Amino acid sequence: MTDPHDQTGAHRVFEIDHEPDWFSGLTQREARLLDGALAFHCLARPGERIRATVLRTHGPHLPSLTDQGTSSIEWPDDRTVVGTIEAHATGHPRSATGVVDVVLDLGGPPESLMRNEQPPGRLHAARNAVRRRVPVAFDAARQLRTDRLENRRLSRPIPRVGRLDNTSVGSSRGSTKAVLFGLHWLELGGAEKWATETISLAREAGLFPIVVSDRPSGHPDIVRPEYDGALVIPLTHPMAGAQESRLLSQLFERFDIRGVHVHHCSWLYQRLPWIRAQYPGTELVDSLHVLEWRTGGFVDIALRLSNVMDAHHVISPQLRDYLVDRQGLPREKVQLATLADLTIDRSTVEAAPEPTRKAGDPLTIAFVGRFTQQKRPYLFLRLAAHLRATHGDRVRFVMHGDGELAAEVRSHRSRLGLDGVVELRGPDQPVSNTLGVADMLVISSDNEGVTLTSFEADAHGVLVLSSDVGSQASVVLPELLLPRAPLAFLRAAERTVAGLLDDTERSTALLHRQHGRVSAFAALPDARAWTRELYERWAS
């Protein structure tokens, strides 16, 4: 393969019969996607020869790697055939008769996939048109619905699957100690940053990382060095049930999987009862970041499956209290360990940084995050328009991020007359550079756990204004917490910024208090330390 780190040595689960010349034309991302797809099909059909026709496109099409569509030997006109390849699972004799044909579509380049996916149908199309045209009014209606669902969710218990009696000694296992990780996707995000960190921690403990993801994506982060040498299988759905069980069975037979660590992966969550029944000696844990009031999200899934799980790692006091006090989980089963130090070096920010803005200097306000509905970048743009109209050149704005709403962000910026006012920065630039020029970070999200950017901003001496969501109150000062409802958020944000524009002494005092609050949160148990101890126990 073009990537010498992938699927090598004793951990290789498939062999290529003849390595074709066209491999050199694949990008590292494409090579790793192909590795994962071949691993899946070979493991799902041990003893059979897999003949793959490999496609790519330049358009905005997601990969098709493991789903039932890979069995069809026709494809859309805009796909290009890269080449063909044959492979078979290691540890089984190569079949002398016949082959199984699959078609593996590597999809388009990641930059073409940054779009807002909407379900089909006229209703969804109309809804999306309204959201694009009047995002603040749309969000106001959305938050009213969220309030109703939040009150309902807080008042009802989540049903649980039955407990399993471990009467079996378990199926056969391999010899290489490993961890099976479940990820949402291999893209930028707070949960993904933590998942990537745990993969490194597993390797440090002497455990081999096996990674599956279940969310449609171009997986741009699959090229990160943390995935070097790991077995990474990006799943695409729907898959055949028999192939799913054979995949998991083969992984457990080839590796001694000591534990499963789920990071926002619905597919792996739903298979935990089966894993518990078939491999009862395997520990099952997850990491939970945020309560999703509208859908229940991964917290509801974790609660439903809690009877077959060993521990839930949570990153905030809000989540711990919800699981223990509201849902009745045993306190010892819920492990609070924060990510306060995940993206910063705490030893370098022990003293509160001093603000650099002097009286009369412009105030630079930043937004840092994915351009998604959850982060509500349109609220930041509306705030920028209001502040610009009131205070003129005394305020400056930077938006740092990318995502499926990127085109809408640019459109809203133009429609509000902010093209020369709000600077846009992409993920090709370090976030530290943006925070280095900012005086204030505005977090306009409608839901969060605890944002990593809050810790990063504090380390740079930047005040954090945030909507009062998730456990943001743990790190943001009460006077800088803003209502979640969009119109109230805008009014409170304008009032707060105006009050600090000329009062640098108050800004300094707030920054010192904020740093004390963040430092106190960072003194809580650390996620790295908890996970490192867990993995070392698994490896022993």
Side-chain angles (χ1 to χ4, degrees):
M1 299 293 286
T2 58
D3 182 355
H5 296 290
D6 280 355
Q7 304 297 300
T8 56
H11 299 148
R12 191 177 183 89
V13 299
F14 69 88
E15 291 179 346
I16 296 170
D17 296 337
H18 301 286
E19 187 169 309
D21 293 339
W22 55 261
F23 271 25
S24 61
L26 295 178
T27 65
Q28 187 185 34
R29 183 188 69 90
E30 291 174 323
R32 291 193 174 187
L33 290 178
L34 179 56
D35 266 340
L38 290 174
F40 172 86
H41 289 283
C42 291
L43 290 172
R45 299 177 178 90
E48 297 188 72
R49 291 161 55 202
I50 304 299
R51 182 169 65 185
T53 304
V54 183
L55 313 177
R56 67 147 67 104
T57 179
H58 296 295
H61 300 291
L62 291 162
S64 172
L65 306 174
T66 67
D67 53 271
Q68 294 177 14
T70 59
S71 63
S72 174
I73 57 172
E74 62 176 331
W75 48 82
D77 293 343
D78 64 351
R79 302 305 197 271
T80 300
V81 176
V82 182
T84 62
I85 187 173
E86 287 192 18
H88 63 279
T90 58
H92 294 269
R94 181 175 178 272
S95 174
T97 60
V99 295
V100 175
D101 273 294
V102 296
V103 174
L104 307 178
D105 187 350
L106 303 179
E111 57 271 16
S112 73
L113 302 174
M114 286 295 186
R115 56 179 184 162
N116 190 28
E117 294 285 345
Q118 290 293 326
R122 293 181 178 178
L123 179 62
H124 291 294
R127 178 180 180 274
N128 199 33
V130 172
R131 184 191 56 75
R132 285 197 307 266
R133 186 62 186 168
V134 285
V136 176
F138 179 88
D139 188 52
R142 191 169 180 263
Q143 295 309 317
L144 289 174
R145 180 171 180 269
T146 299
D147 290 341
R148 291 196 298 270
L149 293 174
E150 178 178 347
N151 292 332
R152 186 186 309 167
R153 192 169 297 281
L154 284 172
S155 64
R156 68 175 179 88
I158 305 298
R160 315 282 162 80
V161 301
R163 298 183 185 276
L164 299 183
D165 294 325
N166 293 336
T167 57
S168 167
V169 296
S171 302
S172 62
R173 295 171 179 267
S175 58
T176 301
K177 298 175 183 178
V179 182
L180 175 58
F181 291 97
L183 273 63
H184 197 55
W185 52 25
L186 308 180
E187 287 191 17
L188 175 69
E192 288 71 29
K193 285 181 181 177
W194 171 234
T196 303
E197 181 84 6
T198 61
I199 290 167
S200 296
L201 292 173
R203 188 178 281 111
E204 290 174 11
L207 298 165
F208 178 68
I210 304 168
V211 182
V212 297
S213 65
D214 72 341
R215 178 74 175 172
S217 170
H219 303 295
D221 279 7
I222 199 171
V223 301
R224 290 178 61 92
E226 291 88 348
Y227 297 106
D228 290 353
L231 174 55
V232 182
I233 305 177
L235 302 175
T236 57
H237 300 280
M239 298 184 294
Q243 292 183 355
E244 294 182 346
S245 60
R246 279 199 295 268
L247 169 68
L248 289 172
S249 295
Q250 281 288 301
L251 289 176
F252 275 89
E253 288 177 19
R254 290 165 178 271
F255 300 95
D256 181 10
I257 298 178
R258 298 297 184 89
V260 176
H261 195 160
V262 185
H263 296 271
H264 290 186
C265 181
S266 298
W267 181 84
L268 192 53
Y269 262 125
Q270 303 292 6
R271 277 127 196 95
L272 293 183
W274 185 86
I275 292 174
R276 175 64 82 202
Q278 294 297 326
Y279 306 98
T282 305
E283 286 200 42
L284 310 178
V285 304
D286 62 2
S287 283
L288 295 168
H289 294 246
V290 60
L291 280 164
E292 299 283 357
W293 298 120
R294 277 182 290 274
T295 64
F298 295 103
V299 172
D300 270 19
I301 298 174
L303 280 165
R304 189 171 64 82
L305 297 169
S306 187
N307 282 340
V308 301
M309 299 183 66
D310 296 287
H312 302 284
H313 163 227
V314 298
I315 69 164
S316 70
Q318 180 215 29
L319 267 174
R320 177 200 58 196
D321 296 343
Y322 176 76
L323 294 180
V324 174
D325 299 335
R326 291 281 185 173
Q327 294 296 335
L329 290 190
R331 183 169 292 273
E332 63 273 13
K333 194 171 188 174
V334 181
Q335 303 295 322
L336 171 63
T338 79
L339 302 177
D341 296 340
L342 181 61
T343 55
I344 61 172
D345 182 357
R346 180 67 47 188
S347 65
T348 65
V349 289
E350 290 183 355
E354 293 294 329
T356 57
R357 189 174 74 96
K358 304 296 188 296
D361 289 348
L363 180 74
T364 301
I365 305 174
F367 171 102
V368 176
R370 287 177 62 84
F371 294 163
T372 62
Q373 180 69 39
Q374 176 196 345
K375 304 294 185 180
R376 301 194 294 188
Y378 48 84
L379 280 189
F380 182 84
L381 286 170
R382 188 61 61 92
L383 174 63
H386 291 180
L387 291 172
R388 182 72 174 186
T390 305
H391 303 289
D393 291 338
R394 299 181 64 205
V395 284
R396 297 174 179 172
F397 306 93
V398 180
M399 294 189 76
H400 191 140
D402 202 355
E404 55 261 36
L405 298 186
E408 293 182 21
V409 166
R410 290 190 290 270
S411 176
H412 289 320
R413 184 178 68 150
S414 296
R415 199 165 68 210
L416 293 169
L418 299 174
D419 282 341
V421 175
V422 176
E423 178 187 352
L424 295 181
R425 297 184 179 185
D428 57 319
Q429 300 187 53
V431 169
S432 58
N433 289 357
T434 296
L435 294 176
V437 301
D439 304 299
M440 185 179 294
L441 175 72
V442 171
I443 298 172
S444 52
S445 306
D446 79 340
N447 201 19
E448 289 290 355
V450 181
T451 63
L452 297 178
T453 51
S454 295
F455 304 111
E456 293 168 328
D458 181 73
H460 282 82
V462 177
L463 275 177
V464 179
L465 271 69
S466 173
S467 50
D468 187 4
V469 294
S471 204
Q472 284 294 95
S474 300
V475 294
V476 178
L477 295 175
E479 50 265 71
L480 301 183
L481 278 173
L482 312 174
R484 181 177 67 191
L487 296 179
F489 173 91
L490 290 171
R491 287 192 295 268
E494 286 184 68
R495 186 168 58 248
T496 302
V497 172
L500 295 174
L501 195 56
D502 293 317
D503 197 342
T504 55
E505 289 186 6
R506 181 164 180 259
S507 296
T508 301
L510 288 172
L511 186 61
H512 288 172
R513 287 177 51 211
Q514 172 184 285
H515 187 71
R517 199 177 189 89
V518 169
S519 297
F521 186 88
L524 293 170
D526 173 65
R528 277 197 190 98
W530 180 82
T531 306
R532 187 177 288 113
E533 181 180 344
L534 175 72
Y535 292 170
E536 288 174 352
R537 179 165 55 80
W538 286 356
S540 63

